[in-house]
Amino acid sequence: MFFSHFIKIACTLNNSQNNVIVILQKELVVLTKIYFILYTLLKRGGIAMTTLHELLNTPRFSDLELLTEGVDTTHLSLKNVEITETPDVAHFISENTLILTTAMIFKDKQNDLIDFINSLKAANAVGLGIKTGRFLEKVEEHVIRHAQKIDFPIFNIPDTYSLGGLLQQMTSILWKSQHEELLFALDIQRKFSDLLIQDVHNEVIINELSKMVKSPIILINPFHRVLNASSHFSHPNNPPEEYVTKVFRSKALREKEEGYFMITNSQGEDIPAALIPVYVHKYFPHYLIVLNPEKIPYPISNFALDQAALILSFVLFKNEKVAESKIIIESEHFKELVGNHLSNTASSDEWNESGYKYGFKESNYYRMVRVYQLDEIDTDKTSRLLQEKSLLTYQWLKWNIDRYSEDAKIIYFPSSFELYILLQEKPEDLNQLLLTMQQKLRLMLPINVGFALGNAFTSWQQIDKTYTQANLAFDELKQSSNREPIVYYQDKGILQLFNHLDAGDVQYFCQTVLKDFAYPEDPNLIELRKTLEVFLNCQGEIARTASQLYIHRNTVKYRINRCEEILGSDITSPEESLNIRIALALSRQHHP
């Protein structure tokens, strides 16, 4: 909710970079503090770092006996402690809850205790403390063995304890732990707020966070490209890219979007890695990778990482809006160039002065390629998902286009999300070049692009023509059923005048001129329409028409007479003939 509010604020800013930075900084600090308060309230003071192992090894609980030997309790963090005597309590507890009970309902049926333990395990409870000596003399061995088998800790509570008193003592320890975490979290929040005010770079935030949590950290973009890494990766034999590859390989195998994964470090040791999404946009997050998160020292809670992810979201979004202001300047310059071409007022000197500045080069080959999302062909609206895909496609092309064409220029219009490649050198195999880029991008993210191409021109003064043709090719594609990934502009002659007319108006024109021949389904009408088209293409010559259709001349005459009856007009009339030719061509393109 707060991030969407932040985005709305950023999008209302003008193109001034100073305004962007100053206003975003103020908003970020305010929103960060609000987020901290709500996080604290919702999480009841943060995620407790007290584990079951630490709790059971507290001196005051030295007489609590862990019955399930071999079950690891060091990683089991506690949030809550509850007392229950109901067998279905698993449906009503939160995760990381420790259950205390006298087990009186299992007094004469300890076999049912196994089902109870299974339900607690399924609910992600931390463990079960059973008070013996009153209802149960002891927990039977087969119950303990089952708990060991499913890795679920059970400990014995002597009859000298009051469960109410034990609950109070344990809760007191938990809240003391959470209080320390809150104080530490406040310190983290203050440090990150100061970093925002100072307008620091991502690299500073990553290194500061790494110092706080005492763990190596990597920040990557949605394409898994390393943006920043902590100083742990400064040695050339320990590149962060290797860890990124291993984490996402493990992620693919586990079919998880985030969380903890096991990977191998540069020394061949198995270590855990945390993958934390950083949402600059809704669908395609950046990520923080934290190595050895289990070794993060107390009292640092997950709040530190959440806070860092939030701050990085804001900073990355701010950087993106600043970059967008530069993109807008470039796109406006392109519009001016196109306008000057049309009026022929731009000189070679003006081209050299301004064109080179923005990546345009003098060449004898110019061809515009409109890059579109295949998803957008069948919709008239640009969804949030399509907008993100268009932006990410632009970013990927900006970073990688030199690998495919050194002189290509990427042009992007942020307001309409239109994306173009201006080729300024002739590629050896244009189709293969475009298909390779499409496949490479699709390997990185679920983004499938297509290309609409204008014709190639030899002068920079004709860039406006190839630009217009690329858009016409795209518009024609949307009107057709063609879903090929590459389409070329084709000159349609007089039919181009109808390109921007409403489809309903075109269909009305076709039905008015062609009558039953507009969109026929009856086989006889279809055959008559075919004869009519061939007759007009043969300039009204009976013999040529008969030859092309492999029918008798008298059959042609009969069919043409029948066509004139249906149309109610003389098809040999120049005016009627022109209207019929246009309507026949348009009805093929605009079938309802």
Side-chain angles (χ1 to χ4, degrees):
M1 179 178 68
F2 295 107
F3 194 53
S4 61
H5 167 71
F6 167 74
I7 291 175
K8 290 178 182 177
I9 293 169
C11 290
T12 60
L13 301 176
N14 58 32
N15 295 333
S16 167
Q17 293 186 26
N18 290 334
N19 284 345
V20 171
I21 293 173
V22 171
I23 297 179
L24 290 182
Q25 285 174 342
K26 293 180 180 178
E27 288 292 334
L28 293 180
V29 172
V30 172
L31 291 175
T32 303
K33 291 180 178 178
I34 294 174
Y35 172 83
F36 168 75
I37 295 170
L38 289 183
Y39 186 101
T40 302
L41 292 174
L42 291 173
K43 297 293 184 182
R44 296 177 59 192
I47 299 176
M49 297 304 291
T50 299
T51 66
L52 182 58
H53 175 79
E54 293 168 341
L55 189 70
L56 294 180
N57 282 276
T58 302
R60 71 170 71 174
F61 301 138
S62 59
D63 50 353
L64 300 182
E65 179 189 2
L66 183 65
L67 301 176
T68 49
E69 294 183 11
V71 175
D72 183 15
T73 59
T74 58
H75 66 290
L76 298 174
S77 298
L78 275 74
K79 280 188 182 179
N80 303 300
V81 183
E82 293 188 13
I83 298 174
T84 186
E85 300 297 343
T86 57
D88 61 346
V89 70
H91 298 294
F92 309 103
I93 62 173
S94 60
E95 292 185 352
N96 301 96
T97 296
L98 176 63
I99 297 298
L100 307 179
T101 182
T102 64
M104 73 177 172
I105 58 174
F106 305 111
K107 179 179 180 181
D108 300 317
K109 42 183 179 180
Q110 286 205 31
N111 283 336
D112 292 347
L113 191 54
I114 291 177
D115 293 333
F116 181 61
I117 291 171
N118 288 338
S119 69
L120 294 180
K121 175 73 174 180
N124 292 323
V126 171
L128 174 65
I130 300 177
K131 180 178 178 179
T132 56
R134 183 177 179 187
F135 298 105
L136 297 185
E137 284 300 319
K138 66 174 185 176
V139 180
E140 295 177 358
E141 285 298 320
H142 74 284
V143 175
I144 296 174
R145 285 197 302 271
H146 177 77
Q148 288 173 319
K149 182 178 179 181
I150 65 172
D151 203 31
F152 187 79
I154 300 176
F155 61 91
N156 180 68
I157 304 172
D159 191 37
T160 54
Y161 274 93
S162 159
L163 287 189
L166 181 60
L167 172 68
Q168 184 179 11
Q169 292 173 0
M170 288 184 169
T171 302
S172 174
I173 291 175
L174 287 182
W175 278 102
K176 181 181 179 182
S177 167
Q178 293 181 344
H179 177 68
E180 291 180 23
E181 289 183 34
L182 269 177
L183 293 178
F184 185 78
L186 277 170
D187 185 50
I188 290 175
Q189 192 271 340
R190 185 164 49 252
K191 288 181 179 179
F192 279 128
S193 295
D194 290 342
L195 292 177
L196 277 177
I197 292 295
Q198 297 168 23
D199 191 31
V200 298
H201 191 267
N202 302 343
E203 184 177 0
V204 176
I205 296 178
I206 293 299
N207 277 308
E208 284 298 318
L209 177 63
S210 178
K211 292 176 184 176
M212 290 179 190
V213 301
K214 303 185 185 307
S215 296
I217 293 180
I218 306 168
L219 173 65
I220 61 175
N221 67 12
F223 300 105
H224 310 164
R225 178 181 179 183
V226 175
L227 298 181
N228 303 102
S230 59
S231 56
H232 301 81
F233 303 98
S234 57
H235 196 281
N237 292 331
N238 191 37
E241 287 79 9
E242 288 190 9
Y243 292 90
V244 174
T245 301
K246 291 174 181 177
V247 167
F248 279 90
R249 188 180 298 145
S250 178
K251 174 179 177 291
L253 292 174
R254 297 279 301 280
E255 296 183 348
K256 289 172 56 179
E257 291 303 315
E258 58 185 271
Y260 288 74
F261 305 89
M262 294 302 297
I263 63 172
T264 305
N265 64 13
S266 56
Q267 286 77 43
E269 303 168 333
D270 290 336
I271 61 169
L275 186 66
I276 303 166
V278 178
Y279 286 98
V280 182
H281 296 289
K282 181 178 180 181
Y283 297 100
F284 302 98
H286 291 60
Y287 287 98
L288 274 178
I289 294 177
V290 183
L291 302 185
N292 288 314
E294 299 293 337
K295 295 183 179 180
I296 294 178
Y298 178 82
I300 303 175
S301 69
N302 283 359
F303 179 81
L305 299 177
D306 288 343
Q307 180 79 343
L310 179 72
I311 297 297
L312 285 167
S313 295
F314 293 157
V315 172
L316 289 168
F317 185 81
K318 179 205 71 175
N319 294 342
E320 196 168 279
K321 298 309 290 185
V322 172
E324 184 179 301
S325 67
K326 297 178 181 178
I327 297 171
I328 291 173
I329 292 173
E330 289 190 17
S331 61
E332 289 298 323
H333 177 263
F334 175 74
K335 288 180 180 179
E336 290 180 11
L337 281 179
V338 170
N340 286 339
H341 296 164
L342 292 173
S343 61
N344 291 319
T345 59
S347 65
S348 296
D349 290 339
E350 290 173 330
W351 170 262
N352 292 336
E353 289 178 8
S354 61
Y356 289 172
K357 177 181 177 182
Y358 294 106
F360 297 97
K361 298 182 179 180
E362 195 164 356
S363 173
N364 61 358
Y365 182 91
Y366 295 98
R367 184 169 221 159
M368 189 66 76
V369 181
R370 177 161 179 174
V371 186
Y372 60 89
Q373 305 298 320
L374 287 174
D375 304 355
E376 74 178 286
I377 298 177
D378 299 315
T379 180
D380 293 327
K381 296 182 179 180
T382 304
S383 66
R384 175 83 171 272
L385 177 59
L386 284 177
Q387 291 174 8
E388 289 189 27
K389 286 184 176 182
S390 295
L391 176 60
L392 287 172
T393 302
Y394 161 74
Q395 292 174 345
W396 186 85
L397 285 172
K398 193 76 173 176
W399 292 325
N400 294 282
I401 192 62
D402 287 347
R403 300 180 183 179
Y404 304 99
S405 178
E406 291 184 0
D407 293 325
K409 163 71 179 172
I410 308 301
I411 302 165
Y412 181 58
F413 296 94
S415 59
S416 60
F417 304 98
E418 294 177 14
L419 177 60
Y420 301 87
I421 303 172
L422 176 61
L423 297 173
Q424 300 180 106
E425 64 175 353
K426 186 175 182 179
E428 292 183 8
D429 188 335
L430 179 54
N431 278 15
Q432 186 58 48
L433 170 72
L434 297 176
L435 289 174
T436 300
M437 288 195 293
Q438 180 202 47
Q439 292 163 6
K440 291 289 185 182
L441 176 58
R442 194 163 51 189
L443 284 174
M444 299 301 301
L445 288 175
I447 295 178
N448 197 11
V449 297
F451 308 93
L453 288 77
N455 292 333
F457 289 88
T458 58
S459 169
W460 60 267
Q461 292 177 318
Q462 296 172 303
I463 289 179
D464 64 299
K465 292 183 174 61
T466 183
Y467 169 70
T468 301
Q469 290 174 353
N471 285 323
L472 288 173
F474 175 72
D475 291 341
E476 183 178 343
L477 176 70
K478 294 195 71 172
Q479 299 287 343
S480 72
S481 59
N482 181 14
R483 292 300 175 262
E484 292 295 322
I486 301 176
V487 294
Y488 287 83
Y489 168 78
Q490 295 180 350
D491 196 335
K492 293 294 191 299
I494 194 172
L495 295 181
Q496 293 181 72
L497 299 174
F498 296 85
N499 279 339
H500 299 291
L501 288 181
D502 180 77
D505 293 338
V506 173
Q507 290 168 13
Y508 176 77
F509 170 76
C510 294
Q511 290 167 340
T512 301
V513 173
L514 298 178
K515 307 293 192 300
D516 293 342
F517 294 138
Y519 308 104
E521 296 181 358
D522 182 86
N524 293 326
L525 289 174
I526 293 173
E527 190 65 33
L528 284 174
R529 173 180 164 129
K530 180 181 178 181
T531 303
L532 175 62
E533 289 189 80
V534 174
F535 179 75
L536 292 173
N537 290 336
C538 291
Q539 309 304 318
E541 294 183 18
I542 299 292
R544 283 178 59 196
T545 304
S547 175
Q548 289 194 22
L549 292 174
Y550 301 101
I551 60 177
H552 196 274
R553 292 177 57 182
N554 290 338
T555 304
V556 174
K557 291 179 181 179
Y558 168 78
R559 289 182 181 179
I560 295 303
N561 288 334
R562 185 78 182 100
C563 289
E564 288 184 333
E565 290 176 8
I566 293 174
L567 294 173
S569 60
D570 178 9
I571 63 176
T572 60
S573 164
E575 182 179 347
E576 294 295 337
S577 175
L578 177 62
N579 285 337
I580 293 170
R581 285 172 181 272
I582 293 173
L584 285 170
L586 289 174
S587 63
R588 287 194 296 270
Q589 297 179 7
H590 298 268
H591 200 288

